[in-house]
Amino acid sequence: MLRPKIPTNPMPTGILTPPAVIEQTTAVQHQAAPTPAPVAPAAAQPTIQLTPGAVIALVGGGTAVVLVVGAVLVSMLLAVAITGASLAICALVIRSLITADAKRH
């Protein structure tokens, strides 16, 4: 079995830089900016208003999406099952042909 060869690296090969020197700075105080005038709050209304018709349309659309996705998934499953069954039948036919040919000779 193949075994990977792990390289050994005793010394770092990257470029080493000396640590940076940090100089201390003095803090300068500024005058605080005047506070802006308070703004009147907007009216508290919901951004989306759903009517009963819109709710029914959303439920119908969601149901349609679920049905379509389910149909696609079921059809893909059936395609895989049919392909597997046909391959199994082909394997049986080929095996019977090989054994029948071996009995003749």
Side-chain angles (χ1 to χ4, degrees):
M1 186 170 201
L2 299 175
R3 294 185 183 215
K5 185 176 180 182
I6 300 172
T8 57
N9 192 7
M11 296 294 292
T13 57
I15 299 173
L16 298 176
T17 57
V21 178
I22 300 174
E23 295 181 12
Q24 208 172 25
T25 58
T26 58
V28 178
Q29 292 185 2
H30 296 283
Q31 291 181 349
T35 57
V39 179
Q45 292 182 353
T47 56
I48 298 175
Q49 294 180 354
L50 293 176
T51 61
V55 171
I56 292 173
L58 284 175
V59 170
T63 304
V65 168
V66 168
L67 289 176
V68 168
V69 169
V72 168
L73 291 177
V74 167
S75 65
M76 288 171 60
L77 179 65
L78 284 174
V80 170
I82 291 170
T83 303
S86 64
L87 285 175
I89 292 171
C90 289
L92 289 174
V93 169
I94 291 172
R95 188 176 74 173
S96 67
L97 288 175
I98 290 173
T99 56
D101 190 38
K103 288 182 182 178
R104 288 185 193 163
H105 290 95

